[in-house]
Amino acid sequence: MKQRVFSGIQPTGKITIGNYLGAVKNWVYLQEKYDSIFCVVNSHAITTKQDPYLLREQTYDMVAILLACGIDPKHSSLFIQSEIDTHPALSWILNCNIPMGEMERMTQFKDKAQKNPKNINVGLFDYPALMASDILLYQTDLVPVGEDQKQHLELTRNVAQRFNRDFGECFKIPEPLIAKSGARIMGLDDPTSKMSKSSTAQNHAIFLLDTPKEIEQKIKKATTDSHSSIVFDPDRKGVYNLLCIYELFTQKSREEIETEFIDQGYGVLKKRIAEAIISTLSPIQEEYLKIRHQIDYLAEVLNQGREKVQPIAESTYKKAKELVGLI
Ligand code: ATP
Ligand code: LTN
């Protein structure tokens, strides 16, 4: 029996190279070895303000871009979170088993609340319970995510362990899978903050659908420093971030990269980074444009994904319900 992988991505705006390098690229790699389930988490997206029309469009945009990046329906099940009602249903049961103190420690809530003081809603606070439900419903072994999701994974493991202890065996305890490199791509404008698709700053992120010109310009403007050597030094945050991006897009080793740029300046480095990003993204963009409007194809992939995973979710939910006495 193959181990199971589950992960999710919010359809909140345009996918960035941070999402790609920290998550999606790894999903594509893992899908051949594992029983893989990937979910567009639109119910999580409404924890921040969304235009209903745009949210629907962006949900399909995300499905198409995931397929274009290489998520293969032959290997993976791909579905939309709101299509399976047991996600919010299980999160209610989990809610009643998560102490307030544990939830109050979540740094993503604190960050998002600070960035969005006008819309601090209960769903935003409760976001990790729905995420735990996503993962636990599928008896997941491994959850490939970026570094920022580590704390949510810890909460998921805690609630599952507590539930199994208090009510009886129900959930598999999932392990986070966080890549050594690429787990935290930083903003190009500010290498001290995580590159995020919902940031509105002009030169913050490279999106997967950016044109070559946009990519060149954004890399050109990216923050560096006044040193002259080009080496992987985590203390030189801007240059380090750029070198990590180059490393991941070219698959070259760090030694190879440092040798490549001996006696070179940031101009050459930036030119090569832009070229590497453009050559990886071009085929993805081509495929995206080809399939985005093939609505019947997208619907077929999603139906097939939902039909495959729904019985797993229902069986786990039924067990959890019975164990807590809800019938
Ligand atoms: P938002 O800005 O709307 O919160 P986001 O860019 O953080 O979105 P998510 O949909 O929350 O993206 O995350 C999808 C996946 O991408 C998660 O596994 C997350 O850990 C990963 N991820 C997000 N940003 C980065 C980043 N800068 N570096 C590496 N991985 C990232
Ligand atoms: N919270 C995640 C998205 C997400 C997720 C999941 C990831 C929702 N449910 C289940 C892994 C497994 C995020 O903000 N990146």
Side-chain angles (χ1 to χ4, degrees), residues 85-305:
D85 292 338
T86 43
H87 287 241
L90 178 65
S91 79
W92 177 252
I93 296 180
L94 299 181
N95 268 333
C96 300
N97 290 280
I98 300 173
M100 277 298 282
E102 206 169 301
M103 203 64 124
E104 278 166 354
R105 283 201 290 276
M106 296 297 111
T107 56
Q108 179 172 298
F109 170 73
K110 291 182 205 163
D111 285 353
K112 290 205 169 180
Q114 200 180 22
K115 280 188 197 148
N116 229 327
K118 292 212 179 94
N119 187 19
I120 306 175
N121 61 71
V122 179
L124 185 67
F125 180 70
D126 198 34
Y127 180 116
L130 182 58
M131 175 162 166
S133 167
D134 297 340
I135 296 166
L136 298 178
L137 277 173
Y138 299 99
Q139 305 295 342
T140 302
D141 294 286
L142 297 165
V143 187
V145 281
E147 176 81 33
D148 61 319
Q149 296 303 309
K150 206 170 163 184
Q151 199 185 29
H152 289 163
L153 252 297
E154 209 40 57
L155 181 132
T156 303
R157 288 167 55 85
N158 287 344
V159 65
Q161 275 159 347
R162 208 164 31 234
F163 189 99
N164 289 351
R165 186 198 62 202
D166 294 347
F167 297 101
E169 203 56 30
C170 185
F171 304 119
K172 189 165 258 179
I173 310 301
E175 295 283 343
L177 197 64
I178 299 172
K180 276 193 213 86
S181 206
R184 195 170 172 81
I185 300 296
M186 310 307 277
L188 297 178
D189 57 340
D190 170 14
T192 61
S193 75
K194 180 191 87 120
M195 184 181 286
S196 154
K197 62 174 134 59
S198 56
S199 165
T200 49
Q202 263 248 312
N203 207 45
H204 171 77
I206 291 181
F207 301 108
L208 259 56
L209 298 174
D210 277 351
T211 62
K213 202 167 189 80
E214 284 169 324
I215 295 171
E216 275 163 15
Q217 280 169 353
K218 286 181 184 176
I219 292 289
K220 216 181 238 174
K221 288 188 197 143
T223 305
T224 51
D225 54 36
S226 54
H227 293 262
S228 55
S229 62
I230 296 181
V231 289
F232 282 86
D233 175 357
D235 291 334
R236 292 168 54 194
K237 293 193 165 45
V239 173
Y240 184 73
N241 189 41
L242 287 175
L243 285 171
C244 288
I245 293 173
Y246 190 63
E247 177 190 16
L248 289 158
F249 274 105
T250 58
Q251 324 264 22
K252 290 181 184 171
S253 71
R254 293 190 169 193
E255 297 73 51
E256 252 179 289
I257 294 172
E258 288 181 352
T259 312
E260 181 179 347
F261 293 109
I262 284 178
D263 299 329
Q264 301 284 3
Y266 292 144
V268 176
L269 172 69
K270 287 181 164 180
K271 188 168 163 286
R272 300 255 171 90
I273 296 174
E275 282 164 2
I277 299 176
I278 292 165
S279 72
T280 304
L281 296 191
S282 298
I284 294 177
Q285 297 179 350
E286 238 172 77
E287 180 65 13
Y288 173 82
L289 290 176
K290 201 173 101 196
I291 61 172
R292 173 60 182 92
H293 295 291
Q294 296 179 10
I295 299 298
D296 290 348
Y297 170 64
L298 301 183
E300 186 190 315
V301 168
L302 292 170
N303 275 336
Q304 187 190 311

